[in-house]
Amino acid sequence: MQYDIAIIGGGLTGVAAARLAAERGFSVVHFAPAFAKDYRTSALMMPTVDFMLHAGLISDPHAFGTPLRKIRIIDATSRLLRAPEALFDSAEIEIEAFGYNFANCDLLDAFSQPSQHFDVKETMVEQIKQENGHYKISSQDGTSVSATMLVGADGKKSKVRDSLGFASHTTPFKQSALVADVEFDRVEKETSVEFHYENGPFTLVPAGDNKINLVWLDDHEVLQKVANMPAADFAQELGKKSHHLFGHAKPLTKAFVFPLSNLAVPVVGKDGAFLIGEAAHAFPPIGAQGLNLGLRDVEDYVAAIDGLVPGFSATDARNASKKYDDLRQGDLKRTGGFVDGLFRSLITEMLPAQGVRLGGVWALKSLSPLRKFAFQFGMGR
Ligand SMILES: Cc1cc2nc3c(=O)[nH]c(=O)nc-3n(C[C@H](O)[C@H](O)[C@H](O)COP(=O)(O)OP(=O)(O)OC[C@H]3O[C@@H](n4cnc5c(N)ncnc54)[C@H](O)[C@@H]3O)c2cc1C
């Protein structure tokens, strides 16, 4: 079977790309094997929410998202140089909210409502070969298809990236991220509260009523131990880490631990192939950038194919992939550099770097133009 576009990967970026490509009239095959429920949540900034609305991926963020209007940062380290407490309010830049916090599984449900039909294969891709300008894709269940354009949305260990010789560089971290849903006696409504500890932030993201989504970065062994604790001990640990500011903590879900790494991919589009989402970049979940960046990949992917007509040639696909690569370079470098710098400054034991961070928080706290710039940058503008 011959298609215009084959999309590999059924995570949020793959589902969004498949749906938007099919809605533009292209013949699409989507390889999306079933996977365990995604218990992560994503803080998506206003420009990303606007993109999802404009593209028709969601219809009303209020229906299943919690607005994020304030961000409170508390330096909870015992370091010599500690930053002052800081509160950032979206009203300062005259917007209703910085963004919304969504459950990934709710986003996936919303994205999986295509208005156009396309073929979905619930199977893992095993082999990808390029023959006469087309991609031949074979999968675990014996399916074999051909496509003029290929999109790799197949995550950090992307087969598309590795099979087609895209260069990449991975740096594993000793830190992991623990996520869980927790209810407190009281919470700061629509405020994300970040406690910065020596090994990484402990962040409480509002999820409606007195519920929060916890994202806790720490050494992998520490988090693994916490994840295996009985619920009562876990609750006690959460109270301690949040300085008992919000009363008693009640875990609502089991804790899940995600190992962290940095992945940099210098070229993300070539020869009619495109890398999007975590196939193209990955970093620790601080500053809420990963899926925001992944959905900006999808936005630029759509911009790169928008001039094409169904049945396009391999040359058209090559030109579109080059256009996509050009469109993505600036954003990928800026965002990757920002998150890497932020993460290293948070976990550093070096006094000069702690001083720079402290100076940075003071400047952000006191200088209005710098605050505004930081707000816009953090939101991906
Ligand atoms: C703890 C944590 C908190 C986070 N919080 C935020 C946040 O607040 N804001 C934010 O913007 N981002 C956040 N992120 C990042 C965000 O979750 C990811 O960037 C996003 O989910 C990645 O989506 P994806 O579609 O690119 O990849 P994935 O979700 O990894 O999807 C890849 C898919 O490809 C499939 N696949 C792999 N190989 C094959 C194959 N050979 N054939 C077929 N299919 C294949 C897999 O089964 C998988 O379904 C967070 C991440 C973590 C770990």
Side-chain angles (χ1 to χ4, degrees):
M1 184 86 184
Q2 168 68 35
Y3 294 89
D4 291 326
I5 305 173
I7 296 181
I8 321 290
L12 287 163
T13 60
V15 172
R19 171 174 168 175
L20 296 179
E23 286 175 0
R24 275 151 186 78
F26 300 111
S27 60
V28 172
V29 59
H30 185 202
F31 287 88
F35 54 88
K37 183 176 169 186
D38 186 349
Y39 282 92
R40 287 172 298 181
T41 55
S42 293
L44 296 182
M45 300 301 154
M46 248 12 248
T48 309
V49 174
D50 289 342
F51 161 66
M52 294 191 297
L53 280 166
H54 181 71
L57 290 168
I58 61 168
S59 49
D60 178 11
H62 287 281
F64 59 102
T66 306
L68 298 171
R69 300 192 206 280
K70 294 182 188 167
I71 299 170
R72 185 176 172 197
I73 297 180
I74 300 168
D75 190 341
T77 62
S78 52
R79 287 173 179 152
L80 207 53
L81 301 180
R82 291 173 55 197
E85 184 171 325
L87 181 71
F88 304 98
D89 190 333
S90 60
E92 276 186 63
I93 49 168
E94 290 161 8
I95 55 169
E96 195 202 331
F98 289 118
Y100 284 80
N101 182 35
F102 298 100
N104 285 11
C105 55
D106 290 343
L107 281 176
L108 195 67
D109 278 351
F111 289 7
S112 310
Q113 313 286 335
S115 59
Q116 294 295 322
H117 172 77
F118 56 89
D119 286 346
V120 180
K121 314 271 182 209
E122 292 189 7
T123 174
M124 289 292 277
V125 166
E126 274 191 339
Q127 203 181 47
I128 302 162
K129 280 201 233 153
Q130 221 183 345
E131 276 174 28
N132 309 321
H134 291 274
Y135 288 100
K136 305 270 175 225
I137 301 146
S138 15
S139 59
Q140 229 166 41
D141 71 351
T143 306
S144 184
V145 303
S146 170
T148 315
M149 180 182 281
L150 181 66
V151 178
D154 49 347
K156 275 189 199 177
K157 295 186 179 154
S158 170
K159 187 173 256 322
V160 173
R161 189 182 67 230
D162 295 344
S163 308
L164 303 184
F166 282 92
S168 66
H169 182 69
T170 303
T171 316
F173 291 118
K174 66 182 174 117
Q175 283 84 3
S176 286
L178 177 145
V179 301
D181 292 353
V182 181
E183 191 174 72
F184 280 92
D185 289 341
R186 53 187 179 276
V187 295
E188 289 182 37
K189 296 271 182 261
E190 300 174 348
T191 304
S192 178
V193 183
E194 297 186 13
F195 296 86
H196 287 184
Y197 283 96
E198 276 82 355
N199 287 333
F202 175 90
T203 305
L204 308 178
V205 191
D209 300 323
N210 282 351
K211 196 172 130 186
I212 61 95
N213 301 130
L214 168 69
V215 184
W216 176 0
L217 269 62
D218 210 319
D219 283 357
H220 182 77
E221 291 70 32
V222 172
L223 297 181
Q224 207 57 63
K225 204 167 133 198
V226 171
N228 293 329
M229 278 177 178
D233 295 353
F234 181 36
Q236 254 189 359
E237 196 61 30
L238 296 175
K240 222 164 45 190
K241 293 289 282 191
S242 57
H243 290 231
H244 302 285
L245 286 181
F246 311 112
H248 178 252
K250 179 175 160 205
L252 300 176
T253 58
K254 190 171 145 1
F256 295 88
V257 177
F258 295 83
L260 300 179
S261 57
N262 220 349
L263 169 77
V265 181
V267 172
V268 294
K270 61 168 185 159
D271 296 335
F274 302 65
L275 299 178
I276 64 174
E278 288 202 338
H281 45 77
F283 29 71
I286 49 167
Q289 296 290 330
L291 185 57
N292 282 282
L293 191 61
L295 289 172
R296 295 206 291 277
D297 297 339
V298 174
E299 190 173 4
D300 279 343
Y301 168 65
V302 171
I305 62 168
D306 248 347
L308 302 181
V309 289
F312 56 79
S313 68
T315 307
D316 293 333
R318 264 201 308 278
N319 292 340
S321 61
K322 169 78 177 82
K323 181 174 170 190
Y324 171 74
D325 190 58
D326 290 344
L327 285 171
R328 294 309 298 140
Q329 284 303 324
D331 190 14
L332 290 177
K333 287 200 178 90
R334 257 191 324 273
T335 309
F338 164 70
V339 178
D340 194 46
L342 184 61
F343 184 59
R344 288 175 200 279
S345 88
L346 286 173
I347 58 171
T348 187
E349 286 308 321
M350 290 165 68
L351 270 186
Q354 285 178 29
V356 169
R357 187 171 72 87
L358 177 145
V361 177
W362 265 114
L364 281 175
K365 203 174 142 66
S366 342
L367 302 174
S368 177
L370 186 63
R371 279 166 82 86
K372 285 192 178 150
F373 172 77
F375 286 172
Q376 305 288 4
F377 190 88
M379 290 171 70
R381 284 192 178 133

